[in-house]
Every structure is written in C-alpha cells, then in structure tokens.
Amino acid sequence: MKNHIVTAFRLTFVMLAVVGIYLLIVYAGSKVLPTKGNAEIITHNGQKFYANIGQEFKSEKYFHGRPSSVNYNAAGSAGSNKGPSNEEYLQTVQKRIDTLKMEHPGMGNTKIPVELVTASGSGLDPDISEEGALYQVKKIATVRNIPEEKVKDLVKNQTEKPFLGLLGPSKVNVLKLNIALDQLK
C-alpha cells in the first residue's frame, strides 16, 4: 500500500510539473502573436467591436461572414452538432445555397465557397476565405455603385496571409473588410 501512495504522489508531482510547463509555453507563445493573446477591439462610429468574434451584417451593402449556429451570441458559442448526413442539416445548407444564388444572380453557377453556407465549429468565426469575399464583390459593387475592380482590390488588400507564411489559410476578417469598405471613396 505504501508503494502505491508514494508512486501516486510522484506521478502527481510529475504531472503538475508537465502541465505547469505546458501552460507556461502556451502563455509565452500567445504573447508572440500579433494581439498578444488578447481580444482585438476596434472602435468604429463610436461603437466597440471585437474583431475576433463573428459579427452579423444584414445590409446588402456589406460583406457577410459565415452563418452562425448560435445567432452570433458569444455567450453561447457552439456548433450545431449535426453531421453531413443529417437531413435537417442538409436542408439548412440547401436553403442557404438557394438564398445566396437568389441574392447574387450575377454569379450564375459559380461554385459557392463552403464557408458561406456552413456554420463554423464555434458559430462565431470572424473570417472568411478570400474566395468567399470575392464571391460577394459583384453584388456589393452594384449596390454601392463602385467599380468591381476597386472592391476586388480592397478584398486583396484586406486578405491576411498565413501566420509566418505557413500556418493556416489566407483569410479575410469580415468586420475589418466592411469598415474599410465604408471608408472607400
């Protein structure tokens, strides 16, 4: 019995050291990131917005981000837990596809980027792919009466490349893109 207790205490102390070192590495690593591991707060027109939480944009003059399974409520971050074989999920995605095709008639049969019709795991993804933003350019240019090339250039300028050129895909933060769109002359 004594041997088991001694072994249990040793294992406990080893695991505390391993977990402590791991937490220290994660904390130090977060301080290397551009936002230092903190939320990125943007003030626009007197309002504060969190750039790293998805925002809902209803107006057709703005780019839209990923659909949210939690209605963009950061207090209730969650996915839908419905798999690709779930009939209800497939109907929801098909409705989103139909809605996008109706809202963007100028796109014809162009392939719709997947993030425009599927919610993210957290339901609060603030980013879309460059392709997702470019899919929306034609409509936004028309609604705002801005040349398409100017809006495409804005998307290209707002595209964030992978971290260190390796980690993750290129992405566009929808909130930052829409703020830059409002400032476009």
Side-chain angles (χ1 to χ4, degrees):
M1 172 91 169
K2 185 177 175 185
N3 288 342
H4 295 297
I5 292 175
V6 171
T7 303
F9 275 118
R10 283 184 187 159
L11 182 59
T12 300
F13 289 121
V14 168
M15 290 309 297
L16 282 173
V18 168
V19 170
I21 291 169
Y22 170 76
L23 290 174
L24 193 60
I25 290 170
V26 169
Y27 177 76
S30 73
K31 296 305 174 188
V32 174
L33 296 173
T35 59
K36 306 281 188 252
N38 298 317
E40 183 179 356
I41 299 173
I42 296 175
T43 303
H44 179 65
N45 292 338
Q47 281 188 293
K48 288 185 179 181
F49 298 96
Y50 290 91
N52 45 356
I53 296 178
Q55 311 285 323
E56 183 175 23
F57 293 95
K58 294 181 181 180
S59 173
E60 60 181 21
K61 70 179 191 170
Y62 289 112
F63 286 91
H64 295 112
R66 290 188 81 155
S68 174
S69 57
V70 294
N71 296 321
Y72 302 96
N73 179 1
S77 174
S80 69
N81 292 333
K82 294 179 182 163
S85 61
N86 182 295
E87 197 58 41
E88 185 182 342
Y89 173 74
L90 294 174
Q91 289 173 0
T92 300
V93 170
Q94 188 59 51
K95 284 179 191 174
R96 290 174 182 160
I97 290 170
D98 295 341
T99 302
L100 269 175
K101 285 185 174 183
M102 189 175 67
E103 290 176 350
H104 300 272
M107 295 308 290
N109 286 330
T110 304
K111 183 181 172 198
I112 298 173
V114 70
E115 76 270 7
L116 295 181
V117 294
T118 58
S120 67
S122 68
L124 299 168
D125 193 350
D127 305 315
I128 58 175
S129 68
E130 185 176 3
E131 293 78 24
L134 290 173
Y135 184 87
Q136 302 176 64
V137 164
K138 186 180 211 80
K139 177 184 175 192
I140 290 169
T142 302
V143 168
R144 288 186 175 247
N145 199 23
I146 300 172
E148 246 182 87
E149 283 305 312
K150 202 169 186 179
V151 181
K152 280 184 184 178
D153 288 342
L154 180 68
V155 169
K156 299 257 187 233
N157 290 337
Q158 289 293 316
T159 300
E160 300 172 24
K161 299 300 177 198
F163 184 66
L164 300 175
L166 301 169
L167 304 174
S170 294
K171 61 188 179 184
V172 180
N173 184 289
V174 180
L175 174 64
K176 291 178 184 178
L177 179 61
N178 285 331
I179 290 172
L181 184 62
D182 277 345
Q183 296 169 347
L184 195 62
K185 300 291 180 203

